[in-house]
Amino acid sequence: MSSNSVVDVRAFINERAMSPRQWLVLLLCFLVVAADGMDVAIMGFLAPSILQEWGISKAAFGMVMSAAPIGLVLGALCAGPASDRLGRKTVLVSSVAVFGIFTLASAQAASVSELVLLRLLTGVGLGAAMPNTTTLLSEYVPERSRSLMVTLMFTGFNLGSALVGFAAAWMIPHWGWRSVLAAGGVLPLALLPLLLWLLPESCRFMAVRGVAAPRIAATLGRICGARFEPGTRFVSQEPALSARTPVRLLFSQGYGRQTLALWATYFMGLLVIYLLTGWLPTLFKDSGLSIAQAAQVTAMFQIGGTVGGVVVGWLMDRLGATRVISLAYAGGALSVLLLAASGAGLGSLALLSALVGFCMSGAQTGLNAYAPSCYPTVARATGVSWMLGMGRFGSILGSMVGGLLLGLGWSFAAILALLAIPAALAALAVRQSRG
């Protein structure tokens, strides 16, 4: 490129095919999300064993279940503004270190109060990781395939959640529930050197922040396989903004309605997913399955979600994001009703569990892929993280309500049938997010 030329980073990435380095960014973000998914789902698989060993009520254990979601709220609300100031990579690497360290420490918990505190701190790291992987990847892939690429990344969450279920089914009988937490802490810590070495900072973020052109040229050239002449300037064309801070932008210049719609949709979706992820093993065990069978059937929920995320992302790039996500949530409402009405046969429970995961996790993954497109670069991480943070109140409610309803003696069918309501509301709310 000629000297003193101007390169629009966004247009430059959109005009080119995915390079090997961009696929590497996808892989690294996928691994972070997989580790995140393992840690988020881990307590649901350990709950039956901890309840049995410590002799506590299900309602009391709801405090443990809700601790990490509370931390997720704090981490998400802080991570977005920090990322929009300090950079995506810095906050992302720090968050992985935090949730790895405290998950490892949770393996040594000796009481409910200790476990609640450690899971709260773990949640802070988890809450900061997710919005930064979403934002970083969305700024490095062509917009024509962004939904598919981001949903491919998010299949790591479902895969990690499923793998920890299968691992728990095997490890708990051999080494106890603490071994699963130890493994869940070691894996993200082992990922840190790769992130520090191979993960780039967002070039769109650097261009908006006025980082020195040679640094942007080196990073963008390495990632996209291009060379830039000395004197090249880098920009990222953005709409004119009047709000001085990213948080204020979420409610100014026409962004307010879609912000509230995204929050409501994410809240409803997480309420359903966290109640299912956290309490399905216990519900299945109470319906007559063994602990190992309950873990394996619940893992099918995550497998279904992995497939659903890819299918929803592919369809979003072709049929429109809000239409596809809304239909997926509606399918989730129908599928939980079918699961509530099913018998106790292992095969039918596994199949329907996978169908619920396909619809609900597929829709939620699609929403994660859709959200970055709703905000400009200067507030993108804040917009995504605050959606995740506000929506996490749904995960807190789902975790607590599951324990409360079980404590009140609600049946398997009644609890699942109730979940069709927030799933249907999510299908309606996402339609209001179109700008």
Side-chain angles (χ1 to χ4, degrees):
M1 294 189 178
S2 62
S3 179
N4 297 321
S5 63
V6 178
V7 174
D8 182 339
V9 175
R10 173 185 175 184
F12 184 83
I13 292 173
N14 286 339
E15 291 165 358
R16 303 170 69 90
M18 287 277 289
S19 71
R21 285 277 188 167
Q22 284 170 295
W23 286 107
L24 179 60
V25 173
L26 171 60
L27 175 60
L28 291 172
C29 290
F30 174 91
L31 292 175
V32 172
V33 172
D36 193 305
M38 290 179 63
D39 270 313
V40 165
I42 202 166
M43 294 311 299
F45 295 107
L46 304 186
S49 298
I50 298 175
L51 289 170
Q52 183 175 332
E53 179 178 320
W54 285 0
I56 59 176
S57 68
K58 293 168 185 173
F61 195 74
M63 294 177 60
V64 177
M65 290 291 200
S66 61
I70 292 172
L72 282 160
V73 172
L74 299 175
L77 295 182
C78 295
S83 178
D84 284 329
R85 288 194 305 270
L86 304 176
R88 307 351 181 172
K89 179 177 178 177
T90 300
V91 178
L92 177 56
V93 171
S94 300
S95 68
V96 173
V98 168
F99 76 73
I101 289 170
F102 286 110
T103 299
L104 189 59
S106 297
Q108 305 301 317
S111 66
V112 171
S113 59
E114 284 185 26
L115 194 54
V116 167
L117 176 60
L118 291 169
R119 290 302 294 169
L120 176 69
L121 296 173
T122 300
V124 172
L126 294 171
M130 190 72 75
N132 280 285
T133 54
T134 305
T135 303
L136 180 62
L137 183 63
S138 70
E139 292 176 346
Y140 262 122
V141 297
E143 291 178 6
R144 63 183 175 275
S145 57
R146 179 174 55 202
S147 294
L148 177 59
M149 294 302 165
V150 176
T151 54
L152 280 173
M153 178 195 76
F154 269 98
T155 61
F157 186 91
N158 302 104
L159 182 61
S161 298
L163 288 176
V164 76
F166 291 119
W170 181 71
M171 294 175 70
I172 292 174
H174 288 84
W175 300 299
W177 59 268
R178 295 180 188 275
S179 65
V180 185
L181 283 169
V186 167
L187 290 175
L189 294 177
L191 185 59
L192 283 176
L194 287 177
L195 299 178
L196 289 168
W197 176 34
L198 297 172
L199 194 68
E201 182 54 86
S202 165
C203 286
R204 288 178 66 175
F205 167 81
M206 290 193 288
V208 168
R209 282 294 180 180
V211 172
R215 180 183 170 191
I216 301 177
T219 303
L220 189 60
R222 183 174 65 255
I223 297 301
C224 293
R227 296 185 64 183
F228 302 97
E229 296 296 329
T232 301
R233 294 191 301 112
F234 297 89
V235 298
S236 182
Q237 297 295 334
E238 303 284 349
L241 302 172
S242 60
R244 294 185 178 182
T245 65
V247 174
R248 288 185 179 181
L249 178 65
L250 303 188
F251 295 96
S252 65
Q253 298 177 242
Y255 291 107
R257 189 185 75 172
Q258 68 183 27
T259 293
L260 293 175
L262 289 172
W263 289 5
T265 307
Y266 210 76
F267 176 94
M268 296 298 174
L270 283 189
L271 190 157
V272 176
I273 289 172
Y274 265 71
L275 193 150
L276 292 174
T277 302
W279 293 105
L280 265 186
T282 302
L283 286 168
F284 285 139
K285 180 177 179 295
D286 289 350
S287 68
L289 302 184
S290 68
I291 290 178
Q293 288 175 326
Q296 291 166 358
V297 173
T298 304
M300 292 302 297
F301 173 87
Q302 306 297 348
I303 295 295
T306 302
V307 178
V310 176
V311 173
V312 167
W314 185 82
L315 290 173
M316 284 168 62
D317 286 326
R318 288 155 180 79
L319 303 178
T322 56
R323 176 190 302 176
V324 173
I325 295 170
S326 180
L327 288 173
Y329 278 125
L334 178 60
S335 60
V336 293
L337 288 175
L338 291 174
L339 182 60
S342 68
L346 186 62
S348 63
L349 288 176
L351 180 61
L352 288 171
S353 181
L355 179 61
V356 174
F358 180 94
C359 294
M360 289 303 305
S361 292
Q364 204 75 1
T365 300
L367 190 64
N368 282 310
Y370 168 60
S373 67
C374 296
Y375 300 103
T377 300
V378 294
R380 183 168 295 119
T382 299
V384 173
S385 67
W386 276 57
M387 179 192 76
L388 269 63
M390 293 301 178
R392 292 295 179 185
F393 287 107
S395 66
I396 296 168
L397 183 62
S399 298
M400 296 178 66
V401 165
L404 177 62
L405 294 180
L406 282 168
L408 292 174
W410 278 47
S411 68
F412 173 89
I415 293 175
L416 291 180
L418 182 66
L419 294 181
I421 297 174
L425 291 175
L428 296 174
V430 72
R431 288 284 192 169
Q432 304 304 312
S433 67
R434 289 174 291 189

